[in-house]
Amino acid sequence: MRRSISKLLGLAAATAVIAIGVPALASPASAATAAAPAAASSGYDEESWGYYYSKYYDDSRASARGSVWTDEDDRLHVQGRLYDKHSPNWLCGYAQFKFETHDGDENYSWARKCGNSGYQRFHYVADEIDNLQVRVCYWDRHDAKKTLCGKWRYIYEIESDEE
């Protein structure tokens, strides 16, 4: 629902800009100059997500937040920050991303942050994605595995036009 509303609002905004700016865009040079800022920013299509959390370990939790958008080539971008504060040194914050295609194929990416100071940035790009989910966990360095994972959360979904 949110995805459709933001696309409609973006389409309405783009239509208004075109309707108001048509006389100003009479020459090809001014058209290219006017289009550049809209293409450079992800504009109306960007949506924020998070904070999402791992389960608690004592009084600490890993967390992640970010944004997701599609570019002019219809590639899906997800970016953000992963935090790991107040956890023991054998646990690292861990964010896992599940990219799903219309065929049901799944691909995974992840980011890991060890240590209490700052955050780890991440940015992933994928083609032909229908759904994207994220969950935040801890990475246990002793056992080399995920642990204390939060729920999978949808942060991007294609809505079908079928009724």
Side-chain angles (χ1 to χ4, degrees), residues 1-6 159:
M1 180 74 174
R2 275 185 27 197
R3 193 105 193 109
S4 295
I5 291 171
S6 77
E159 292 186 17

Side-chain angles (χ1 to χ4, degrees), residues 82 93-97 109-113 120-122 124:
L82 173 63
Y94 186 87
Q96 186 176 21
F97 301 89
S109 294
W110 56 271
R112 187 169 30 192
K113 167 67 174 101
Q120 176 67 44
R121 289 182 190 267
F122 55 84
Y124 302 106

Side-chain angles (χ1 to χ4, degrees), residues 15-110:
T15 304
V17 167
I18 290 171
I20 293 170
V22 168
L25 298 178
S27 74
S30 63
T33 305
S41 73
S42 54
Y44 62 86
D45 212 13
E46 185 170 350
E47 290 190 31
S48 296
W49 57 269
Y51 283 97
Y52 294 133
Y53 297 92
S54 68
K55 292 183 180 175
Y56 278 103
Y57 178 82
D58 286 339
D59 287 331
S60 65
R61 291 196 300 181
S63 64
R65 70 180 174 98
S67 58
V68 62
W69 72 92
T70 54
D71 63 18
E72 60 275 355
D73 295 324
D74 214 23
R75 292 178 297 199
L76 182 68
H77 293 253
V78 60
Q79 73 175 14
R81 295 177 179 182
L82 173 63
Y83 300 87
D84 176 25
K85 297 183 179 179
H86 312 298
S87 65
N89 63 2
W90 53 274
L91 286 178
C92 300
Y94 186 87
Q96 186 176 21
F97 301 89
K98 184 187 331 182
F99 297 88
E100 302 172 27
T101 66
H102 68 281
D103 295 332
D105 294 334
E106 297 175 352
N107 292 308
Y108 294 86
S109 294
W110 56 271

